[in-house]
Amino acid sequence: ITNLESGKKVARFSLATNEYYKDSKGEKQTDTNWHTVVAWGKTAEIVEKFVEKGKEVGITGKLKTRTYTTDDGNQRYVTEVVADEILLLGSKSDK
């Protein structure tokens, strides 16, 4: 969580998604992908108060790609999920 000078909050965190499938031998496989999620304002406040490592969440938002130049002059591309809504999943007793 970052508090900006304007008073607005921004939350930036990694989210793992898992895809399960069976390979050609019939063995169960898992494919895990990591995504950077960015949430602003009230959504960031929800993340700050209720989301912790391992918590299951549902996110709606949009993909945004931005570019930046490193100190050594190389251009880099970053794709992030900009969250509009975060749904807290699991039971209240989950820790």
Side-chain angles (χ1 to χ4, degrees), residues 1-58:
I1 303 292
T2 303
N3 294 302
L4 304 177
E5 288 181 20
S6 64
K8 202 170 193 179
K9 289 187 180 198
V10 60
R12 184 178 306 275
F13 60 97
S14 295
L15 175 76
T17 56
N18 295 318
E19 179 183 3
Y20 303 99
Y21 63 95
K22 289 187 180 179
D23 63 15
S24 59
K25 297 177 184 175
E27 296 174 2
K28 186 177 176 183
Q29 300 292 321
T30 303
D31 184 23
T32 302
N33 288 288
W34 288 91
H35 315 277
T36 299
V37 180
V38 179
W40 294 87
K42 294 284 187 191
T43 308
E45 291 176 17
I46 290 169
V47 171
E48 181 179 36
K49 290 179 185 174
F50 301 108
V51 178
E52 57 191 31
K53 183 176 180 177
K55 178 74 173 167
E56 238 180 273
V57 295

